[in-house]
Amino acid sequence: MEQLLDLYSRHPIVVLSGAGVVFLAIVISVVAGFFRRRRFVRTVIAHVSTPGTSGLPDGVTEDEVLRRSALIVRLARKTDAPIVTTLGVDRLWSDRLQAKERASDFHRVIEFGADRGLFSCFLVALRNKRRAKELRAYLAEHSDFLVLRKLSMSGRGESFSGRAARDFFAERLDEIRELAGDPEWPGRYFAVKILVHDDDERSHRAVTEAFDDPHALVRRTVAEEAVPRDSHAFYERLRALYLGDPVYEVRAAAIARIRSEFGELHTIDVSSLDAEQALHAVQLFDERSEDDQNAAIGLLSGKDVEQRLVAARFLVRARVLHGMLARADFGDRADMERTRDLLGNAMSVNVTGFLSVLSENPSPATLMIGAELLCQHGDPSLIRELAERVLRIQERVIPGFTDLYAATLRCISTRGDESTLSMLSREIPRRVTSPDLLEIALDAVPSGHDLVFRDALYAAMADPAFPARDALRRAILRLDPADTLSRCLDIVTSDRDRNPHRVRIDALTILGQLKLAYALQEILENLSILPAEEAREFAHDLAEYNDKELERKVKYLLDGVDGAIRAAIIAALPSTGKKTFLPQIKSALRDADPDVRIAATWALVDYEETRALGQAVDMLRDPVERVRTSVARALSAGGGPSVLKSLAATLEDPNEVDSVKLAVIDGLGAARSADAVDALVSVIERGDQLRDATIAALGAKRDKTSIARIIERFKDADPDVRSAIADAFTAMGTHAEPSIREVLEEGIESLKPFLVEILESTGYVDSRIRKLKHRDPSVRREAASFLSLVGSPAAFRGIVLAARDPDADVRVEVTKALEALASEDGTELLRDLEQDPDRRIRKYTHWALERVRAKSL
């Protein structure tokens, strides 16, 4: 104050002007408030006076109405208009009363909103003694039964303390019991909530009858709060609710009560229930119970799709399916299959929540199953996360990576968005050094996404060193045909130096596979781009063109001057299956162009024209070496027994020149005939100077029939010939090993020693022994099984090392092998194993034999 006086004494004008401004602001505020209040009153009166109106007037908010509650009360007392109920202020007061328990709101609801808010007053009264006294006074003034009904009907199922309410209404419990039979559910709920805490027999009867009440909230209330007099009878009522009630919240309340108070009585066998009861039971299985989990797994494995759904949802809640997916292991393929089938059943009913494991540091096997499942169902956003994880894994770091990679790319191709498809596109140049993975990536390219894949695919096609050309062409054929046609025509019709030959071959092949009739002339005129073998394959596509048009164009070109085109067309014709041009092909055997002569010879082979081929034997003396070689191959491949006999005679002819003999030997090496093997071995037996070429020809044979005949000749040959044949097997390398193994597995005892000798000489047995250390149990099982089949000392030295393999199937193979040794023929080998210089061999042999002896007891 002293400071203000001091300021006034020094600056009186300033102080007076400032005070004036403040005073003026107060006056304006008061006047503005007066006018706002007046406008509010007019708006409200006009609104409630309009017939059929309800709710708040336009421009008036709930907050404003609540702020002016006192004004509304005064207006309501002055007029007969239903201001409170029309505006809905009674509801607003009731809601605020429950939230803040204001005494003013309590009084307003009692006076003006009892029909809507009396239950709110009741809830507050149960917590506030002063409000309880006021509510009792109100109820005493309205002592008729209807006031209790009005109280109950103003509620909508709000929870309250039934015990406190029972004490509150201790003098009016008869009226409460009457409410238990009210036709409206709020009255019955209100009554039952109170009567469950009353010991009177009449109250108990009303509560018991409420187990069958039409309203779910009433049934839930008795399930949760009723006090049992007969425990077993009460349990049976709860069990009936748990299994039979159509409302989930009631069933949930019933089973919760059972588990908390009647666990010793409760057992459930889903198989003994009807279909609906089984569904209810599974919905509320205990997530912590292993018995419930196992029962749910059994239902998920079944064919009933309704039971699958509830079982799958339960197993997701219990995170059982999450655990199965997370524990998947490539080392146990059988378990992986079971897991995949089970999770697939869950996904068949659109339960996919367990796939969230893919975001939780999953194992490669988990990723594998996830990829297979995501191909059909599940959150598509998981596909990108799956792809990012899988594509980061280094090739060959884990067993089964190729399968995982393929499943992931199928998933991207089937359901991936643009971003994941772009990841697939980037895999094409990235995998050029891994042909197997590259082919998988190319085969995963989907149709309809040209903008994503076009650049990568055409760039790969333009690179002649790019591998997996077949898969690349298949991928390009899934692009827009209009763009592909234009690009390929540009390549095949441009100057040959402009594009590498490999690229031109691919472009022409793609043109044929597009099967566009209007491009047929361009295709045929450029057919010479293809090598002979590819031209024959290409002709399968030509066979699908219009017959008459194709024949007309072929005849035109065969009558033309260009030898390369004629050779290419002749080479292709047999694959069309059409023999219209056979006369022209036969006459082409004498064509001036060497390539035409070669093509004609092979065409006759493909047409299986054996008699015409017999006339081609003279071409073995063709002046052009490549014609002689090709004819020899053709005659060996398709000439039949008589032609092969002529070829063998050519080899025996001392007057025949070596160049012709070399061509015949080369041809016999390509023939898939046991007679060809005999002809070649005969050359070796004669000590012919062409021995090296003959060994190479034998080494070129990889088919099972030829190998079986070579082994027969090996068995009966003298040492020098056997040495030469062994050299041939060495030349075959790993290519022949599968065929040799097939012959071994046929169990021909007379051939077995020689087969084993060959496999040991090529190092195949040693490679199988090394497989016994492989991380994948399936590889170890296969190796152990094969070594048991071989049965040689070297094989058994390897197999005993697997006697303590962690995989049971591997140990079974070891035991079976040693059981085979426990015979008279195996005694010497067994003695050698027990005396082996390697300590581990001796130890494991002894240990394994103990197992065999124990098994025989």
Side-chain angles (χ1 to χ4, degrees):
M1 180 60 72
E2 291 178 357
Q3 291 176 343
L4 288 174
L5 291 174
D6 180 61
L7 179 62
Y8 176 73
S9 64
R10 288 187 283 114
H11 306 285
I13 295 176
V14 174
V15 171
L16 287 175
S17 62
V21 171
V22 173
F23 175 76
L24 181 60
I26 293 172
V27 170
I28 291 172
S29 176
V30 171
V31 171
F34 171 78
F35 280 107
R36 282 196 300 269
R37 181 173 177 272
R38 185 175 181 182
R39 185 172 62 252
F40 176 80
V41 171
R42 287 178 177 176
T43 301
V44 168
I45 295 298
H47 182 68
V48 299
S49 299
T50 303
T53 59
S54 63
L56 298 177
D58 292 340
V60 177
T61 65
E62 291 184 355
D63 289 342
E64 185 178 7
V65 169
L66 287 172
R67 286 199 309 272
R68 298 187 184 278
S69 293
L71 176 58
I72 289 174
V73 168
R74 287 197 294 274
L75 289 175
R77 288 171 178 167
K78 289 180 181 179
T79 178
D80 293 332
I83 293 176
V84 173
T85 55
T86 299
L87 296 178
V89 187
D90 52 348
R91 176 183 57 80
L92 297 177
W93 287 337
S94 178
D95 291 345
R96 189 166 69 177
L97 172 62
Q98 288 198 50
K100 299 184 177 180
E101 298 189 10
R102 290 183 176 182
S104 57
D105 285 336
F106 183 90
H107 298 141
R108 289 164 185 158
V109 170
I110 287 287
E111 183 177 355
F112 296 102
D115 287 343
R116 288 190 182 181
L118 193 56
F119 197 85
S120 296
C121 295
F122 163 68
L123 294 177
V124 173
L126 291 181
R127 298 189 293 267
N128 188 303
K129 292 182 179 180
R130 182 173 295 181
R131 301 290 88 78
K133 183 177 180 181
E134 292 172 351
L135 181 61
R136 283 195 182 93
Y138 173 83
L139 295 175
E141 293 175 10
H142 304 78
S143 58
D144 59 314
F145 168 74
L146 293 179
V147 72
L148 289 184
R149 187 173 191 275
K150 180 165 67 173
L151 188 156
S152 67
M153 295 303 296
S154 65
R156 279 295 175 265
E158 297 91 337
S159 182
F160 62 93
S161 170
R163 188 175 298 279
R166 189 255 175 220
D167 296 338
F168 187 89
F169 292 111
E171 305 301 325
R172 304 184 70 167
L173 287 177
D174 287 340
E175 297 175 58
I176 299 294
R177 279 190 283 270
E178 288 184 44
L179 277 176
D182 195 271
E184 297 286 349
W185 72 265
R188 301 197 304 275
Y189 166 70
F190 179 75
V192 169
K193 188 82 171 170
I194 295 171
L195 294 178
V196 292
H197 300 284
D198 184 47
D199 293 334
D200 190 284
E201 181 60 34
R202 293 169 296 172
S203 298
H204 175 69
R205 180 171 181 176
V207 170
T208 301
E209 292 172 353
F211 273 100
D212 298 315
D213 192 274
H215 199 275
L217 186 57
V218 178
R219 300 195 301 277
R220 173 181 171 177
T221 300
V222 293
E224 289 177 333
E225 301 186 34
V227 179
R229 295 188 177 183
D230 181 337
S231 295
H232 190 272
F234 188 72
Y235 164 72
E236 291 299 329
R237 285 188 174 276
L238 289 175
R239 193 175 190 276
L241 288 180
Y242 160 52
L243 295 177
D245 200 282
V247 179
Y248 180 84
E249 67 172 309
V250 177
R251 299 197 300 273
I255 190 59
R257 186 78 182 273
I258 288 173
R259 287 176 180 146
S260 66
E261 298 181 26
F262 304 97
E264 72 283 356
L265 295 177
H266 181 60
T267 57
I268 196 77
D269 179 7
V270 178
S271 63
S272 67
L273 305 177
D274 61 36
E276 289 70 25
Q277 289 178 330
L279 293 177
H280 292 163
V282 179
Q283 282 178 337
L284 291 162
F285 269 172
D286 185 353
E287 296 172 11
R288 297 163 298 178
S289 168
E290 288 189 12
D291 290 339
D292 285 356
Q293 291 174 7
N294 291 334
I297 289 172
L299 294 177
L300 184 56
S301 303
K303 296 182 179 180
D304 188 311
V305 290
E306 284 189 311
Q307 292 183 354
R308 275 188 187 179
L309 174 61
V310 294
R313 285 173 57 82
F314 163 73
L315 291 170
V316 166
R317 290 196 307 274
R319 295 191 66 82
V320 173
L321 298 186
H322 296 71
M324 287 183 176
L325 181 55
R327 290 190 300 272
D329 182 6
F330 277 122
D332 192 340
R333 291 283 182 170
D335 185 67
M336 273 189 70
E337 290 294 332
R338 287 192 296 270
T339 298
R340 182 187 293 110
D341 291 343
L342 201 64
L343 300 182
N345 285 351
M347 295 193 77
S348 72
V349 289
N350 293 308
V351 176
T352 62
F354 54 85
L355 289 175
S356 62
V357 170
L358 297 176
S359 303
E360 302 170 4
N361 194 28
S363 69
T366 298
L367 291 171
M368 176 72 182
I369 295 176
E372 293 176 341
L373 297 177
L374 276 172
C375 278
Q376 300 179 22
H377 298 282
D379 183 358
S381 66
L382 288 171
I383 296 175
R384 180 174 181 82
E385 188 159 354
L386 167 76
E388 288 176 342
R389 291 177 181 276
V390 172
L391 300 184
R392 284 199 303 265
I393 297 174
Q394 293 296 315
E395 182 184 355
R396 297 187 181 87
V397 167
I398 62 167
F401 175 73
T402 300
D403 293 338
L404 171 58
Y405 185 78
T408 302
L409 296 198
R410 281 196 304 272
C411 187
I412 295 173
S413 176
T414 305
R415 301 183 65 227
D417 58 16
E418 290 295 308
S419 65
T420 50
L421 288 173
S422 295
M423 295 171 67
L424 171 55
S425 179
R426 291 192 292 273
E427 284 296 289
I428 294 170
R430 180 186 174 207
R431 299 295 181 179
V432 291
T433 58
S434 303
D436 292 344
L437 301 185
L438 176 59
E439 185 165 346
I440 291 169
L442 290 167
D443 284 338
V445 172
S447 301
H449 296 277
D450 289 45
L451 291 178
V452 178
F453 294 98
R454 184 176 58 197
D455 291 345
L457 292 177
Y458 287 135
M461 180 180 170
D463 179 6
F466 189 88
R469 308 300 291 195
D470 290 343
L472 174 60
R473 292 194 297 269
R474 290 194 297 268
I476 291 175
L477 285 168
R478 291 191 283 275
L479 299 177
D480 178 20
D483 188 31
T484 302
L485 173 67
S486 177
R487 288 176 183 259
C488 290
L489 281 175
D490 287 345
I491 291 172
V492 299
T493 58
S494 63
D495 189 271
R496 68 181 64 192
D497 296 331
R498 189 171 176 182
N499 294 287
H501 191 61
R502 179 68 260 173
V503 177
R504 300 180 76 217
I505 290 172
D506 287 335
L508 183 63
T509 303
I510 291 169
L511 280 175
Q513 292 171 340
L514 285 173
K515 298 180 177 59
L516 302 174
Y518 43 82
L520 181 57
Q521 186 71 28
E522 296 280 6
I523 292 170
L524 292 175
E525 287 183 351
N526 289 282
L527 200 59
S528 59
I529 291 174
L530 300 179
E533 187 61 35
E534 293 190 36
R536 285 196 289 272
E537 291 298 321
F538 182 83
H540 293 293
D541 298 316
L542 290 180
E544 298 186 30
Y545 286 80
N546 179 274
D547 284 350
K548 290 185 178 180
E549 188 66 10
L550 178 63
E551 289 179 13
R552 187 181 69 81
K553 291 183 180 295
V554 167
K555 186 176 186 305
Y556 169 78
L557 293 171
L558 285 180
D559 291 338
V561 67
D562 192 272
I565 292 177
R566 286 186 288 116
I569 291 177
I570 288 173
L573 284 175
S575 296
T576 67
K578 306 177 191 305
K579 294 191 175 184
T580 310
F581 301 100
L582 265 177
Q584 289 171 280
I585 293 173
K586 291 177 183 177
S587 65
L589 292 173
R590 297 181 298 277
D591 195 277
D593 190 300
D595 291 322
V596 174
R597 298 199 298 274
I598 291 171
T601 307
W602 279 106
L604 292 175
V605 171
D606 293 337
Y607 272 125
E608 298 181 357
E609 290 289 318
T610 307
R611 182 175 297 178
L613 273 175
Q615 300 170 6
V617 173
D618 289 341
M619 294 177 65
L620 289 171
R621 295 164 184 83
D622 192 279
V624 180
E625 181 180 356
R626 59 191 176 90
V627 175
R628 295 197 299 270
T629 302
S630 184
V631 167
R633 282 177 172 267
L635 293 174
S636 299
S642 61
V643 173
L644 285 175
K645 187 175 180 180
S646 297
L647 295 176
T650 300
L651 293 176
E652 294 174 4
D653 187 352
N655 298 317
E656 189 60 78
V657 296
D658 286 351
S659 61
V660 172
K661 289 184 177 182
L662 286 172
V664 171
I665 289 172
D666 184 68
L668 291 173
R672 286 176 171 257
S673 166
D675 291 339
V677 170
D678 290 338
L680 291 171
V681 173
S682 295
V683 173
I684 297 174
E685 288 174 338
R686 288 195 301 271
D688 198 293
Q689 60 184 358
L690 301 176
R691 175 190 176 105
D692 291 343
T694 307
I695 291 172
L698 283 174
K701 293 186 172 297
R702 313 286 165 78
D703 61 288
K704 178 182 172 183
T705 302
S706 296
I707 286 175
R709 178 60 66 88
I710 295 172
I711 293 168
E712 285 281 0
R713 297 300 298 266
F714 179 86
K715 179 182 70 171
D716 299 325
D718 60 43
D720 184 56
V721 174
R722 288 183 66 170
S723 175
I725 294 176
D727 290 342
F729 276 115
T730 302
M732 293 179 192
T734 59
H735 299 290
E737 288 169 351
S739 297
I740 298 173
R741 178 169 176 169
E742 282 186 50
V743 177
L744 178 65
E745 289 172 346
E746 289 180 0
I748 305 173
E749 290 298 324
S750 61
L751 294 181
K752 183 175 179 179
F754 307 102
L755 294 169
V756 171
E757 180 182 346
I758 292 168
L759 290 172
E760 288 185 342
S761 68
T762 62
Y764 187 71
V765 171
D766 289 338
S767 74
R768 296 305 96 184
I769 292 174
R770 289 192 293 273
K771 293 292 185 184
L772 291 171
K773 299 178 182 179
H774 198 279
R775 69 174 70 187
D776 187 343
S778 63
V779 174
R780 302 199 303 273
R781 289 176 212 140
E782 186 275 336
S785 176
F786 173 75
L787 291 172
S788 175
L789 179 65
V790 170
S792 68
F796 274 107
R797 287 187 83 254
I799 202 171
V800 293
L801 294 177
R804 290 192 175 183
D805 193 279
D807 184 79
D809 291 335
V810 175
R811 298 195 301 272
V812 166
E813 293 297 335
V814 175
T815 303
K816 286 194 298 186
L818 292 175
E819 284 175 343
L821 286 184
S823 63
E824 185 175 347
D825 293 338
T827 302
E828 184 177 349
L829 178 55
L830 189 59
R831 187 181 302 113
D832 290 342
L833 286 172
E834 289 182 301
Q835 302 299 323
D836 194 275
D838 190 321
R839 180 173 172 273
R840 286 193 310 156
I841 298 291
R842 298 196 303 273
K843 176 182 177 182
Y844 284 9
T845 300
H846 177 74
W847 182 86
L849 286 173
E850 288 299 321
R851 283 178 54 85
V852 173
R853 293 181 185 119
K855 184 178 178 181
S856 65
L857 295 177

